[in-house]
Amino acid sequence: MTAGSPTSPPGALHALGWSAILLLAVVQVTAYVDRALPSVLAPLIKAQFGLSDIQIGALQGPAFSTLYAVGLLAAGHLIAGRNPYRVAALCVVAWTAGGVLFALASDYPAMVMGRVLLGLGQA
């Protein structure tokens, strides 16, 4: 028995809908936290890696937002004709890999690559 089929229980589709909304809300909040984390930790990151104001600014802004914007614009064309669940899973893998790369980075270029991958995955 699948949700929405004529033989499904009356509340099954309703419960599935609220579960999907809750999941999307959790993902959205997590995305905002991922975007804001470098801003909150900027003084610590700057001190630990000896970064300039320009480097920390690039890390917080363009390193993330450039690929995020390009990814959002390209998403409609890339998803057309593909399984949206697989595309979403691939995005979550890229997002997670970017977060891990940023968290474990030992130098500035690795942090930038982590933010770029995070932006692409979130897009």
Side-chain angles (χ1 to χ4, degrees), residues 43-54:
L44 297 173
I45 294 170
K46 186 177 175 184
Q48 181 174 351
F49 292 96
L51 302 178
S52 69
D53 288 337
I54 292 173

Side-chain angles (χ1 to χ4, degrees), residues 4-108:
S5 68
T7 57
S8 64
L13 186 58
H14 182 70
L16 180 64
W18 281 110
S19 297
I21 289 171
L22 180 62
L23 179 63
L24 287 173
V26 168
V27 168
Q28 190 65 25
V29 168
T30 305
Y32 281 120
V33 170
D34 277 351
R35 290 178 206 160
L37 198 57
S39 298
V40 174
L41 298 175
L44 297 173
I45 294 170
K46 186 177 175 184
Q48 181 174 351
F49 292 96
L51 302 178
S52 69
D53 288 337
I54 292 173
Q55 287 175 311
I56 199 74
L59 190 63
Q60 292 176 21
F64 173 85
S65 61
T66 303
L67 248 312
Y68 183 74
V70 170
L72 282 177
L73 292 172
H77 298 290
L78 293 174
I79 292 174
R82 291 185 173 79
N83 183 334
Y85 299 108
R86 287 185 183 175
V87 173
L90 181 63
C91 289
V92 169
V93 168
W95 176 5
T96 303
V100 169
L101 181 59
F102 180 75
L104 299 178
S106 59
D107 59 0
Y108 182 71

